Amino acid sequence: MQKADIIKIVSILAFIVLAPVLGGLLEGIDRKISARMQRRVGPKITQPFYDVLKLFNKEYISVNKKQLFLLLSHIFFVVFAGGLFFGGYDMLMVFLSLSTASIFMILAASSTHTAYTGVGTVRELVQMMCCEPAELLVAVGFYLASAVGGIHYASLGLANDPSFMVKDLINVDKPAIMYMPGFFIAFVFILTIKFRKSPFDLSTSHHAHQEVVKGLTAEFSGGAYAITEIAEWYEEVMLLGVVALFFVTNNPISYIWAALAVIIVFFLEILIDNTSARVKWDLMFKASWGVILACAGTNLLVLEILPQVLRH
Amino acid sequence: MIDMAHVVALLICVPLVFAVLIAIIPDDKIRGIIVYIGGITVMAGALYAAYLWLFKLSKAANNTFIEFDLPFNKYFNYATLIGDVVLMVVIIFLSFKHKKHIICLLSLIQTAVVCWVEFKGPKVEECVSMRFDNLTMIMVLIIGIIGSLIGIYAVGYMRGYHVHHKEFKDRRSFFFAMIFVFYAAMFGLVTTQNIMWLEFFWETTSVCSFLLIGYTRTEEAITNCFRALWMNLLGGLGFAVVIIISAYKFDTFNLHDIINGNALTSKYGLICLAALAFAAVSKTALFPFSKWLLGAMVAPTPSSALLHSATMVKAGVYLLIRMSPVMGDTRVGTVISIIGGFTFFASSLLAISQSDGKKVLAYSTISNLGLMVACTGVGNSETMWAAIFLMVFHAVSKSMCFQSVGAIENSTGSRDIEDMQGLMCRLPKLALVLLIGMAGMYLAPFGMLISKWAALKSVVDSDVVFLVLFIAFGSASTMFYWTKWMTKIVGNSEEREKDVTQSNEYISMFVHALIAVCVVASLPIISKKLVLPYIVNATILKFGDITVNPNMYKQFYTELAPLNEGNLKVMVIMIAAVIIVPLFMYFISRGATSKNVVGYMNGINTGDNRHFVDSFGNEKELHVSNWYMEEFFGEKKIFVPAVLIGVILCVILIGVSLYGLGGVR
C-alpha cells in the first residue's frame, strides 16, 4: 500500500470515529456560549453526550416504523459524504451525497403525516432548496480556483489541471479564499441554514421556542432521535471542514489559519443565532438565493475571466 | 438471412401496415389483439436490428457506421414526396375546417420548397439514403421497446378511459393507428441521412402528434393541438432553409456532409446548423415553444407518454446529438446551450407551482430536455456522453411515471398530487412504479448524478458560465419539486383502495421497471461498447472526413477512455449507495421493536393520525398540504417572461448565424 492510501484510510477512519466526539463537544460549547450570551450558566460541555445516551436508553416509540430505516439511510449518507470529503474525494460527490442524505431525512419525517412534521417537512424542503445552489457552486468554485491558485499561478502560463478532488485542493500554492471570497460569503450564509440557527431555523430548531413544536423531528423519539442528533454532529464537522478548505494550502502553517477561520465562523454562527429572530420562509428564500447569486455568481464570472487575463 | 436494408425497410413499413389494419377493424377485442401483435412485431424488429448491428455488422464496419439504400429505394423516394403533399393536404383541410387558416401557410411553404427543389432545383448528387450506427441503434431500441410497450399499455388504458369519459367519442381505431404511424415515422427519422426524407419524417411526427393531441375534440384539445402544429411547423421551416441551401450550395442531401464538413468552414453551413438546431428546439419544446408540450396533456395519457418519452421530443434531441460535436466549436452551440440551460432552470421553477401530476411531469420533461440540449450545445465528449445517457434514462423513467399516473387517475379519479397522500399504502404497486420512475428522474443512479455531476463537471470547462448557474439553481428546484411529490406518496394513509388497473398496463409498467434495472446493470457495457465509440467517431467525423481513420480512432479512444472509467466508477458507487443502503437498512431495522403510538397533535388526535377534534368537539379530517408557492413560481409570473427570453435567444440564434458571428469560437 502506498503512503497516500494509508493517509486516506486513516483520515476516513479518524473522521468516522472522532467526528461525533468533536461534533458533540462543539454542540456543548455552542450551548455554553449561547447560555452566557443569555446570561445563564448553561450546561456542562459534555452534556450533549449524556443527552444522546439517555435517548438511546429510552423505549423506542414510533408513529410509523418506516422512519427507522430511512433515518439509518440518512446517517449513512451523511457519514459517507464526510468520509468522501476527508478521504480526499470529489467535492461534487460530497455534496451530492449530502443532498441524498437530506432527502432520506425528509422522507423519514413525512412518513408520519402529522401536522407539525408536515409543516416542518415542507420548510426543510425549502431550506434544502436554499442551500443546494451554494453547495454546488462552491464545489465549482474550488475547481476553478485550483486552476488559478495552483501551479498555474506560480509559473504564469503553464496551466494547472483543475480538479474537484479534495486531495488536490489542499495542495495549492495560494489559499482558495484569495480567489473565492464571494463563494465563502455564500457558504457561510447557508451554514446558518445548515446548522439550523436562527434566523433560519424554520424546519426545526435547537431552541425551545419553536412554533411548530419540533417541526421536522417532532415524531422522532428515543434511538431514532439520537440518530438524527449524531448525524447532525457528523454533518457539522464536515461542513466546518469545507470552511477550513478555503484556507488550506500546501504550507502546513496554513492549517493554523484554517483552524482560526473555523473558530471564527463557528462563533459568528452562534452570535447570529442569539441576536436574530426567526424569519419567514420567503425572506429566507429570497435572501439566500440573492446572496448566492450576488456573491458566488459574481465570483464565478471573475474566476472564469481571470485565467484569460492572467494569460495575456 | 435478411440484411440491414430489409430490416430497416420493414421497420418503417410494418407499423404502417398495422396502422391500416387497426384503422379498418371496428371490433375492440380483435383490434386489441392486433395492437399486441403489432407491438411485439415492432419490438422484435427493433431487437433484431440491434442484434444485426451489434453482432454482425458493427465489427465489419470497425465500430463506425454503415450506409445503405433501402430496397425499392426509388419508390421510397417517391413515397416521401407524395407523403409530403398528403400531409400538406391534411393540414390544409383540417386548418380550414377549424378556421385556423394561417397555419396552412407554414405547411405550404415547406412542401413547396421540397417540391421546387426536387423538380426545378439543380441536379443534386444522389446520396445513400440510410445510415446505421451506435446512436441509431440506441434510438431504434428506445422507439421499438419503450414505444411499443406504451402501445400495449394503451389497449387497457383506453378501455378504462372510455368507461370514465363517456362524453368523448370513441375513436380508438384512429388513436392506435396514429400510434403505429408514429413508430414508422420515428424509425425513418433516426435511420435516414437524406435531408429530404428527414424532413418528411419530421413533419409526419408533427402531424401525428397534432392528431393525437386533438383526440378528444374538445375545444381545449383543438386549441392545443393546433398550437402544437404551428409551433412544430414553424420549426420545420428550418428544414426548408437547409434543403434550399444544400441543393444550391453544397450539392448534397446528406445530413452528415452538410453539417460535418461545412458548418465550421462556410457561412452557409453555419446557417444550416442554426436552422436545424432551431427545428430541434421547437420539437423538444424548449422555451419559447414549451406551451405545445404542456397543452399536449389534454390527450389521453398513453399519447402523453409516447410524446414525452419514446418519440417526438426525442427526435429533436437525436438531431442535436448528431450535430453536437460541430456545435461545440461554434457560437451556435453556445446559444443553443444557453437556451437549454435557461429552459432547464425556468421550467424546474414552474414545476414547483403545479399540483396536477401530469403537468409536473410535463414541466419536468421540458426541464430535462433543456439539460440534454444544453449538454449537446456545449458539445465536448463528456457532455455528449451525459446527453445520450440522459436521453436513455429519461425515456424509460418518464414513460413509467406517465403510465403510473394514468393508472392512478383511472383508479382514484384524480391525478392531483394533493390526492396522492399515502399512495404507498393505498395502491402499493402503482406507487412503487411511480417511485422508481421518479427516482430515475432525479435521484441516483442516474437523474441526479447526471444533472449535477456529469453535466456540471463537463460544463465547467466550457466557456459558458451562465450554464453553471442555471444548473446549480435548476437542480435545487428540481430536487424540491420531486421530493415534495415523493413525501406525499410515502406518507401515511387509510386502507387500500381498489386497483382497477388492467393486467396489460401492469405488464408494460413492470417490463419498464425491468428495463430500467437492466440498463443500470449493463451501463458499463453500454457506455464502453456503444456510447464511447460513437462519441469518438463523431468527434473525428466533424472535420468532414467521410471515413474514420483507425489510427485516429485508437488515439481518440485512449484519450477518452478515462472519462468513461471515471464516470463509471462514480456510477457504481452511487448505484450501490442509493439502492443497496436503504434495502440493507430496511432489513437490519426490521427487527427493531417499537411501541406504536399516534402522532403529536396537541392532544386532539382522534387516534388514527388523520383526524382531529376541532373547537366544536367535532371530528375533522387533517390535511397536510404541500406548498406550491404561487406568488414566487406561478405560471402567471414566470411563463410569459420565460417565453420572451426564449424568443430573444432564438432571434440571437438566427442573428448569430446570419451575420457570420457564429463561426468557430
Side-chain angles (χ1 to χ4, degrees):
Chain A
M1 233 197 295
Q2 284 173 344
K3 199 181 152 200
D5 288 331
I6 297 171
I7 294 176
K8 194 197 295 180
I9 292 169
V10 167
S11 37
I12 293 175
L13 284 179
F15 169 74
I16 294 174
V17 177
L18 293 181
V21 179
L22 196 60
L25 283 178
L26 280 174
E27 195 190 328
I29 296 167
D30 183 343
R31 283 194 204 168
K32 197 79 180 176
I33 297 175
S34 291
R36 289 298 157 87
M37 283 177 178
Q38 298 160 6
R39 299 199 170 183
R40 292 184 285 115
V41 178
K44 281 191 297 196
I45 287 176
T46 48
Q47 187 60 36
F49 298 112
Y50 294 110
D51 292 349
V52 163
L53 278 179
K54 186 180 168 193
L55 282 172
F56 271 121
N57 286 327
K58 282 186 148 191
E59 184 188 17
Y60 177 49
I61 57 173
S62 75
V63 181
N64 186 339
K65 265 189 79 175
K66 265 186 280 180
Q67 63 173 226
L68 190 58
F69 93 87
L70 290 167
L71 279 175
L72 283 172
S73 307
H74 166 70
I75 194 170
F76 174 88
F77 278 103
V78 173
V79 177
F80 186 67
L84 284 178
F85 180 76
F86 287 98
Y89 289 97
D90 193 323
M91 277 293 269
L92 279 173
M93 285 296 293
V94 170
F95 287 123
L96 198 74
S97 316
L98 209 57
S99 314
T100 314
S102 10
I103 289 173
F104 278 110
M105 175 71 149
I106 285 162
L107 291 181
S110 71
S111 67
T112 55
H113 187 60
T114 56
Y116 295 112
T117 39
V119 178
T121 310
V122 188
R123 288 184 180 184
E124 176 73 7
L125 273 166
V126 179
Q127 289 187 193
M128 188 170 82
M129 181 161 68
C130 294
C131 299
E132 182 80 6
E135 294 173 9
L136 293 178
L137 286 176
V138 162
V140 170
F142 273 116
Y143 178 84
L144 295 173
S146 71
V148 231
I151 305 160
H152 175 272
Y153 189 75
S155 58
L156 271 183
L158 275 171
N160 184 25
D161 266 352
S163 169
F164 277 110
M165 307 292 270
V166 177
K167 69 172 167 28
D168 299 332
L169 295 176
I170 57 172
N171 256 331
V172 286
D173 294 337
K174 305 268 172 177
I177 184 81
M178 278 181 63
Y179 305 102
M180 39 194 302
F183 289 99
F184 186 71
I185 296 170
F187 191 71
V188 171
F189 190 91
I190 63 135
L191 270 191
T192 318
I193 303 173
K194 281 266 161 198
F195 287 172
R196 310 192 184 290
K197 298 285 189 199
S198 186
F200 302 134
D201 51 348
L202 279 86
S203 69
T204 180
S205 175
H206 295 293
H207 298 295
H209 52 75
Q210 231 234 3
E211 81 276 29
V212 286
V213 190
K214 246 318 203 174
L216 188 72
T217 56
E219 302 297 344
F220 300 159
S221 73
Y225 189 55
I227 290 171
T228 52
E229 285 281 298
I230 296 172
E232 214 167 84
W233 294 346
Y234 272 112
E235 192 175 345
E236 192 162 336
V237 172
M238 197 222 97
L239 290 170
L240 288 175
V242 178
V243 172
L245 189 61
F246 277 92
F247 296 90
V248 169
T249 64
N250 49 18
N251 184 350
I253 297 171
S254 68
Y255 284 82
I256 298 170
W257 292 109
L260 203 64
V262 168
I263 291 168
I264 292 171
V265 167
F266 185 66
F267 182 77
L268 194 68
E269 294 296 345
I270 298 171
L271 188 67
I272 294 168
D273 189 30
N274 282 290
T275 50
S276 58
R278 184 176 304 123
V279 297
K280 280 166 73 179
W281 70 267
D282 38 3
L283 185 61
M284 172 179 71
F285 174 70
K286 279 187 211 161
S288 57
W289 275 34
V291 168
I292 294 168
L293 195 64
C295 299
T298 318
N299 203 159
L300 185 73
L301 286 176
V302 174
L303 267 185
E304 277 280 336
I305 298 162
L306 198 61
Q308 292 165 20
V309 176
L310 284 177
R311 218 168 287 151
H312 286 298
Chain B
M1 205 189 92
I2 326 174
D3 69 344
M4 193 56 110
H6 288 97
V7 177
V8 170
L10 285 175
L11 276 178
I12 297 171
C13 296
V14 169
L16 289 178
V17 174
F18 275 102
V20 173
L21 269 180
I22 290 162
I24 54 176
I25 290 173
D27 184 77
D28 179 43
K29 264 236 165 80
I30 301 172
R31 192 178 50 217
I33 292 166
I34 292 183
V35 172
Y36 291 146
I37 298 172
I40 291 166
T41 318
V42 168
M43 209 186 293
L47 285 171
Y48 186 72
Y51 162 80
L52 209 58
W53 169 247
L54 273 186
F55 295 101
K56 308 268 169 188
L57 300 169
S58 86
K59 203 158 213 171
N62 277 331
N63 235 337
T64 53
F65 59 89
I66 49 167
E67 286 177 313
F68 52 88
D69 273 324
L70 290 183
F72 311 110
N73 202 52
K74 206 165 68 183
Y75 297 102
F76 272 101
N77 216 0
Y78 295 141
T80 57
L81 268 182
I82 298 166
D84 253 332
V85 176
V86 171
L87 288 179
M88 184 186 74
V89 173
V90 169
I91 292 170
I92 291 177
F93 172 72
L94 285 173
S95 40
F96 267 89
K97 190 175 156 197
H98 294 284
K99 303 201 169 52
K100 314 260 181 190
H101 310 292
I102 194 84
I103 293 173
C104 310
L105 210 63
L106 293 170
S107 174
L108 263 175
I109 296 173
Q110 208 172 327
T111 315
V113 165
V114 171
C115 291
W116 170 269
V117 169
E118 185 72 31
F119 296 115
K120 298 275 177 187
K123 186 93 188 79
V124 174
E125 200 184 326
E126 286 275 321
C127 77
V128 185
S129 44
M130 295 293 173
R131 182 186 179 109
F132 206 98
D133 59 10
N134 289 346
L135 181 63
T136 316
M137 194 200 99
I138 293 173
M139 292 306 297
V140 164
L141 285 180
I142 290 178
I143 301 158
I145 297 178
I146 308 290
S148 50
L149 280 174
I150 294 170
I152 290 168
Y153 166 90
V155 176
Y157 180 89
M158 293 307 285
R159 258 178 221 148
Y161 185 81
H162 281 289
V163 173
H164 284 291
H165 299 277
K166 294 251 188 295
E167 68 274 24
F168 303 136
K169 197 173 158 226
D170 185 348
R171 298 198 293 147
R172 269 181 282 170
S173 287
F174 173 75
F175 185 80
F176 285 108
M178 274 307 122
I179 287 182
F180 275 84
V181 175
F182 224 128
Y183 299 154
M186 282 302 292
F187 281 131
L189 200 148
V190 298
T191 47
T192 186
Q193 62 177 350
N194 183 333
I195 195 89
M196 302 283 262
W197 292 25
L198 190 61
E199 185 272 343
F200 165 67
F201 291 125
W202 190 272
E203 196 166 327
T204 312
T205 59
S206 300
V207 173
C208 277
S209 67
F210 154 72
L211 293 170
L212 280 173
I213 297 167
Y215 177 75
T216 57
R217 283 187 176 155
T218 57
E219 204 170 309
E220 193 193 6
I222 286 169
T223 321
N224 290 354
C225 71
F226 274 100
R227 188 187 299 122
L229 186 65
W230 79 253
M231 283 186 175
N232 278 302
L233 287 179
L234 185 68
L237 286 186
F239 275 94
V241 174
V242 177
I243 287 173
I244 294 176
I245 292 179
S246 54
Y248 284 91
K249 292 284 167 193
F250 298 144
D251 189 31
T252 178
F253 284 139
N254 187 323
L255 174 71
H256 301 92
D257 292 347
I258 296 169
I259 298 306
N260 285 337
N262 298 312
L264 294 177
T265 51
S266 108
K267 187 181 161 188
Y268 290 105
L270 203 68
I271 295 175
C272 285
L273 188 73
L276 288 175
F278 178 74
V281 165
S282 78
K283 192 125 264 184
T284 44
L286 303 191
F287 280 111
F289 298 107
S290 299
K291 205 154 187 189
W292 79 256
L293 195 61
L294 295 168
M297 64 176 221
V298 295
T301 303
S303 59
S304 309
L306 200 64
L307 296 185
H308 283 254
S309 65
T311 62
M312 198 63 183
V313 294
K314 292 292 183 298
V317 180
Y318 161 79
L319 187 62
L320 287 171
I321 293 177
R322 279 258 177 259
M323 306 191 297
S324 179
V326 177
M327 283 205 294
D329 289 344
T330 60
R331 297 241 182 269
V332 169
T334 311
V335 181
I336 287 293
S337 59
I338 292 174
I339 294 178
F342 171 73
T343 304
F344 171 63
F345 173 62
S347 47
S348 69
L349 288 184
L350 281 158
I352 292 175
S353 66
Q354 303 305 318
S355 72
D356 180 337
K358 259 174 110 173
K359 207 155 188 187
V360 174
L361 290 181
Y363 273 121
S364 98
T365 301
I366 298 171
S367 172
N368 259 280
L369 289 168
L371 193 61
M372 291 175 219
V373 172
C375 286
T376 59
V378 174
N380 59 34
S381 40
E382 277 209 319
T383 49
M384 274 172 75
W385 190 88
I388 293 173
F389 273 109
L390 255 181
M391 181 179 70
V392 173
F393 275 84
H394 181 261
V396 182
S397 309
K398 198 38 81 58
S399 173
M400 265 165 102
C401 288
F402 264 109
Q403 294 185 11
S404 55
V405 168
I408 289 164
E409 190 185 2
N410 271 355
S411 288
T412 66
S414 165
R415 59 176 192 231
D416 197 290
I417 294 174
E418 287 303 303
D419 296 329
M420 293 189 192
Q421 174 65 42
L423 211 64
M424 204 61 199
C425 307
R426 288 156 57 198
L427 300 163
K429 277 193 278 181
L430 288 177
L432 190 67
V433 174
L434 185 56
L435 281 179
I436 296 174
M438 285 160 106
M441 288 303 303
Y442 93 108
L443 282 178
F446 222 78
M448 187 151 93
L449 182 80
I450 269 300
S451 64
K452 289 183 191 162
W453 192 77
L456 260 183
K457 206 160 190 159
S458 42
V459 161
V460 159
D461 292 324
S462 74
D463 61 348
V464 198
V465 195
F466 290 108
L467 272 185
V468 178
L469 291 176
F470 283 141
I471 293 177
F473 283 96
S475 72
S477 38
T478 305
M479 287 247 290
F480 183 79
Y481 72 80
W482 282 122
T483 317
K484 190 171 74 150
W485 191 352
M486 243 183 195
T487 60
K488 272 277 150 190
I489 295 171
V490 298
N492 232 346
S493 180
E494 60 262 49
E495 293 311 298
R496 284 205 174 193
E497 264 171 51
K498 191 166 171 265
D499 190 347
V500 299
T501 314
Q502 301 206 0
S503 58
N504 47 14
E505 295 176 59
Y506 267 128
I507 290 171
S508 169
M509 284 188 263
F510 285 135
V511 174
H512 268 87
L514 202 68
I515 293 171
V517 174
C518 289
V519 175
V520 169
S522 59
L523 204 122
I525 303 171
I526 298 178
S527 173
K528 198 172 165 192
K529 297 275 173 209
L530 290 176
V531 178
L532 203 59
Y534 172 74
I535 294 172
V536 173
N537 287 328
T539 318
I540 295 171
L541 288 174
K542 79 173 171 190
F543 299 111
D545 295 342
I546 301 167
T547 53
V548 177
N549 177 345
N551 288 334
M552 212 164 162
Y553 179 87
K554 217 171 210 170
Q555 181 200 338
F556 271 63
Y557 193 91
T558 27
E559 268 172 36
L560 289 177
L563 138 91
N564 189 40
E565 247 124 70
N567 284 1
L568 285 179
K569 216 153 99 189
V570 172
M571 189 85 67
V572 170
I573 297 172
M574 285 313 288
I575 293 169
V578 176
I579 297 173
I580 296 169
V581 168
L583 269 179
F584 179 72
M585 294 305 181
Y586 178 76
F587 283 109
I588 61 166
S589 70
R590 215 166 45 156
T593 47
S594 75
K595 193 170 109 190
N596 264 348
V597 289
V598 293
Y600 176 72
M601 279 185 215
N602 283 329
I604 53 169
N605 192 337
T606 56
D608 61 357
N609 286 333
R610 292 188 304 276
H611 297 85
F612 64 95
V613 183
D614 71 3
S615 50
F616 293 101
N618 301 322
E619 196 174 293
K620 236 186 195 160
E621 197 182 342
L622 169 77
H623 188 78
V624 184
S625 165
N626 257 328
W627 287 7
Y628 295 97
M629 305 171 168
E630 275 286 332
E631 69 274 29
F632 273 91
F633 309 119
E635 278 185 325
K636 282 199 190 108
K637 205 141 192 185
I638 297 184
F639 200 86
V640 175
V643 169
L644 284 178
I645 292 175
V647 170
I648 293 169
L649 287 172
C650 278
V651 171
I652 293 175
L653 175 71
I654 296 165
V656 151
S657 64
L658 282 185
Y659 288 97
L661 298 170
V664 181
R665 64 184 180 202

